[in-house]
Structure formats: structure tokens, C-alpha cells
Amino acid sequence: MPHTTTTTGPLPTDGPPYDVTVVGAGVVGTAIARELARHRLRIALLDASDDIGNATSKANTAILHTGFDAVPGSLEARLVREGAHLLRAYAAGAGIPVERVGALLVAWDEEQLAALPALLAKAVRNDYHAARLLDAAELYAREPHLGPGALGALEVPDESIICPWTTPLAYATQAVRAGVHLHLGCRVRHIDSDDDLHTLTTDRGPLRTRHLINAAGLHADEIDRELGHDVFTVTPRRGQLIVFDKLARDLVDHILLPVPTAAGKGVLVAPTVFGNVLLGPTAEELDDKTATGSTADGIALLREKGHRILPELLDEEVTAVYAGLRAATGQEDYRIRSHPEQRYIVVGGIRSTGLTASLAIAGYVTGLLGDSGLDLSAPAELPPVTMPNLGEAFPRPYQDAGLIASDPAYGTLVCHCERVSAGEIRDALASPVPPRSPDGLRRRTRAGNGRCQGFHCGAAVRALFEEERS
């Protein structure tokens, strides 16, 4: 089946209306499109950006959660629990790097220590039974570089780290290969609806669809109002993070979590599948849905928190600083609601757990579509997808002598910091969902993501990118 990915020019108008259109190509929107691709439907996936996963999904803490601390009985708790199992299995088959490093919720004062038994009981209510309490001695035996003064911890051994970039890319790749039309650079400006069709006015012209799924993340409330609803408002919550050099990786073995508050899980220290260490995020309520810049105050706050958690970390080199916006709605649960009379489903308020829950959310939304009157055929198996490995704990192409012997491009390093070969860059540029910018190429290969931040390889990477585009 020919792949349809468009980025510029008028949208195609020569075919029938789409059966379903998904607005928003983050990790949740791509997961929904992938699930729908299993049915005999004409599907479109839209995003205002020039790439998939280019907003909240690219700038999270990259944790595969267990859901141990979700609100028991909530939709989020159920979907995170189901999604964790689904994503682990999917990642293993698709080559998405996952490392089960476990998490420790560290208590730094008597009040936090007293809260740990309730968190343990909450985990049990969420059907997670592997958590256990640790005293200070066992905690420091597990994490000898932890700052002084910790009193104990709750161990959650199944919390894991995952590649946040490869996951939505895998979903989108499977969806496009199965016939989903991906239209990028396609911001929805207005929606007109009648008894049969929604007509979306976009930056690239009109699009007609029978059913509409709103997975627009930070802009989900705006799309919802276009359909006549005014039940929630998305408040962007900025999370700034510091990425430390790979030489810091030996300082920490687990995800180190604070005892959570109403504002979120707080500032953590976590290893990444790329071999770095993360410190963050902040939790700043903003009005501007584009405010993804870092601030001196935010970085100072993170350094203060990091000094208490892992003092030696602050002696290590900083590789990068970044910030992402989470879609807070003032409600702890997801805002997923079907409006069958309008042939419309809103998938809003999907916060930091959306990566973990993505496949379960997709299944849940597909079920709602069936309940709303869409004729779903029996689901078919999708062709398997194997993604390029970006994880340090798994073999990379430059380490594979057999692969290099068959294709020397995999032994020709372009980015030396991250050990990215010309073959990997070539493959990314020729993929079904290719990058539209060097930044998109970086998320597909790690090129330019290392300690020099592209100072040495930037020109060569840009040349390869421009050569493919021309």
C-alpha cells in the first residue's frame, strides 16, 4: 500500500470523506491512528507541526510507569496499568529500548516518611503488589551517592525508562504503512459540522470526515470548543529539565522520586536509555502554550533540588537543558469523553502518564468509536515494525561487525559523541515518516544530541539532510 505523508500544499480532495480523522500526532494521537489502522477505514492523522511527537511527547521524563500512585478507580489508573503491559510487549517486539531500573520514592523528613505506608497501600489498591518499604540503611546500600539525611524509601521495582521519541515514531510508521494519511503542517482553524460530516478548515485547506477524534494535547480545549463544548481548560504546565553527561550515569541506579504532591511527581533524578542522567522537571503554571524556553530561576531551582538528592551530580558536565509543556486541566483524571450524537471523541488532559497509557488509550477510544455507531471490521494484524535502536544498553550499528561488512555506511561515524553512523542517518531520511528538520533527525538517530551538541558534526549532518531533501 502506498504511503501518504504530506507536509505542504493543499490537502488532497479527490477522494471520499475520511471515516475518522485524528487531530494531534503526539504519542496518544499516533497510537490511536495505529489502532484504527487495524480496521478497514479511511483514516487521516493531522498535526499543526512539521513532525509527529513534536510537542509534549518529545520533552517528557521518558518513564514507563506502573501506575502505582494513580488515583485508585480512575480511568487514568486503569489505562496506565493496562498500557504499561501493552507497551512493554510492544517495545520488545518493535525494538524500542526499555530498561527496568526500578524507582525509589525517597523520604527526606518525618512527614514524608509517614506518608510512605499510605503510598504502599495505594499501590496495592492499584493492583500493584511488588512495592515495598526500605529503611535508610537499605536505601543507601542501593544508592550510595544519595545525599545525606534520607530516612527511608518506597521501592517500586517495575518502574522503567523508555525512549520517548521512538515510541510515537513506531506508532506513526505502522499507521502510515497500513494506509493512514498523515498530514503535517495542518493546524485546524475551524470546524463546521452537520448531520453527516465534519468539515475542518486547516492551514492547508478543507478536510471532510465522518468521525473526529480530538487528541490535540495542549490545544484540546480549543478543538473541544469548536464542537460546542466548554467543560475544561488546558493550562500549560512547564517542566524544565537538565541533561547531564554520560559520565554521570554511574552515580545513580534507580529513578529517584520525591514523595508526590498535588502539582505532580516533583523533581526527580533518573537515568535515560541514552546513557545520560536527567534532573527535573519543574512544574510551572503558565498562560502561554508556546513557552518552552528554559529560565535561570528554573535551572537554579533544579540545581538546588539536585544538590540534596544527588550532590555529586552537580559536579558533572551538563549536556543540554530543555523544557516541555504538560496539558493540565485542573482534574486529576483523563478527560476522555464520547459525544455519539456528534460522532466526536475528546481525548484531553493526558499528562505525563500518556506515554505509558498510549496503547490502552487507543484501544479504549476505538471501543468508544464502535459504541458511537462506526462500523468497525474485525481487527487485522499490522505488519511488524522494527525501529532503529537508540538505547545504550542494546547493540548499536557501529558495534555490529557483520552489519558493517554488508554495508560500510554503518561503520562510518558522522556524530562521534553519540556514535551515529551515516547508515542510520540515511535510513531515517528514507523512512515512511522522515524528519523534516535536523531536530527531527536528531530524535530519530541521536545525531547532534551529545556533549558537543552538534558543534563537530552539525555541518555534516545538515549536509546529509539537505542532500536528501534536494
Side-chain angles (χ1 to χ4, degrees):
M1 183 177 293
H3 303 159
T4 301
T5 301
T6 71
T7 56
T8 58
L11 293 174
T13 57
D14 53 350
Y18 289 104
D19 295 309
V20 187
T21 294
V22 181
V23 178
V27 71
V28 172
T30 54
I32 293 170
R34 173 193 170 275
E35 181 63 27
L36 291 174
R38 302 174 64 214
H39 304 271
R40 290 193 296 272
L41 298 168
R42 180 173 160 84
I43 303 160
L45 174 62
L46 314 183
D47 201 273
S49 174
D50 67 352
D51 202 356
I52 61 97
N54 205 21
T56 299
S57 297
K58 74 176 182 182
N60 59 39
T61 50
I63 294 174
L64 178 54
H65 297 283
T66 59
F68 77 96
D69 61 343
V71 177
S74 66
L75 180 61
E76 180 181 20
R78 169 189 153 189
L79 295 180
V80 170
R81 185 168 58 247
E82 294 175 2
H85 295 296
L86 291 171
L87 184 49
R88 283 183 191 280
Y90 180 80
I96 299 169
V98 173
E99 293 182 48
R100 180 180 171 272
V101 295
L104 298 171
L105 276 77
V106 180
W108 295 97
D109 57 40
E110 293 291 346
E111 183 179 0
Q112 293 177 7
L113 187 66
L116 294 183
L119 285 168
L120 176 60
K122 191 177 190 181
V124 172
R125 290 168 64 196
N126 281 317
D127 201 28
Y128 183 77
H129 301 279
R132 69 188 190 95
L133 297 172
L134 306 182
D135 61 21
E138 187 168 1
L139 170 61
Y140 280 99
R142 297 287 191 88
E143 289 290 349
H145 299 282
L146 196 67
L151 303 180
L154 177 67
E155 180 192 20
V156 187
D158 295 298
E159 294 278 301
S160 302
I161 52 177
I162 186 170
C163 178
W165 303 327
T166 309
T167 305
L169 183 61
Y171 297 161
T173 299
Q174 277 193 302
V176 167
R177 283 178 175 171
V180 171
H181 292 185
L182 173 61
H183 300 305
L184 299 170
C186 196
R187 183 179 296 278
V188 176
R189 299 293 183 180
H190 182 62
I191 301 172
D192 291 303
S193 303
D194 57 29
D195 291 340
D196 299 312
L197 289 175
H198 302 287
T199 301
L200 280 57
T201 300
T202 81
D203 287 346
R204 297 177 52 204
L207 179 147
R208 298 177 302 145
T209 186
R210 291 173 54 215
H211 292 260
L212 181 64
I213 298 174
N214 172 9
L218 292 165
H219 301 279
D221 55 341
E222 300 162 34
I223 299 294
D224 205 42
R225 291 188 186 100
E226 286 288 328
L227 276 294
H229 307 287
D230 191 8
V231 295
F232 70 94
T233 297
V234 171
T235 300
R237 182 177 291 159
R238 181 167 60 192
Q240 301 184 49
L241 298 105
I242 302 174
V243 183
F244 287 89
D245 187 78
K246 291 177 175 59
L247 293 176
R249 180 61 183 84
D250 289 340
L251 294 177
V252 60
D253 290 323
H254 302 78
I255 303 163
L256 301 180
L257 299 171
V259 177
T261 68
K265 299 182 186 300
V267 173
L268 58 83
V269 172
T272 75
V273 294
F274 314 120
N276 301 90
V277 177
L278 281 182
L279 171 63
T282 58
E284 308 157 57
E285 303 286 343
L286 304 176
D287 296 322
D288 184 354
K289 294 182 179 180
T290 65
T292 56
S294 300
T295 67
D297 287 346
I299 300 306
L301 173 66
L302 292 180
R303 292 184 65 84
E304 177 187 336
K305 298 283 188 181
H307 185 266
R308 182 176 195 184
I309 300 167
L310 207 67
E312 294 172 66
L313 182 62
L314 299 188
D315 296 329
E316 301 294 333
E317 295 290 333
V318 171
T319 296
V321 171
Y322 68 94
L325 299 176
R326 308 188 287 281
T329 64
Q331 175 180 302
E332 291 193 47
D333 207 355
Y334 293 163
R335 300 270 190 167
I336 303 177
R337 180 173 296 180
S338 176
H339 300 275
E341 72 286 354
Q342 292 182 291
R343 306 174 316 285
Y344 166 66
I345 297 173
V346 58
V347 187
I350 312 298
R351 299 168 298 166
S352 59
T353 56
L355 171 61
T356 301
S358 54
L359 290 175
I361 292 171
Y364 181 72
V365 169
T366 300
L368 293 177
L369 269 176
D371 294 341
S372 70
L374 179 62
D375 184 14
L376 295 173
S377 62
E381 289 297 319
L382 295 172
V385 63
T386 301
M387 303 304 294
N389 167 50
L390 302 187
E392 281 294 290
F394 307 89
R396 300 272 305 287
Y398 78 92
Q399 299 169 312
D400 189 333
L403 181 64
I404 294 169
S406 64
D407 187 343
Y410 291 113
T412 304
L413 292 184
V414 178
C415 172
H416 287 261
C417 292
E418 296 296 293
R419 305 293 194 269
V420 181
S421 68
E424 292 167 276
I425 292 174
R426 176 200 63 203
D427 294 347
L429 292 169
S431 65
V433 186
R436 304 296 166 180
S437 67
D439 190 51
L441 181 60
R442 177 180 61 83
R443 293 196 299 274
R444 287 162 172 81
T445 64
R446 286 174 42 183
N449 205 42
R451 64 182 57 168
C452 85
Q453 288 293 285
F455 181 82
H456 291 285
C457 70
V461 172
R462 169 67 77 168
L464 291 170
F465 177 78
E466 295 296 344
E467 179 182 350
E468 178 65 26
R469 284 170 63 91
S470 64

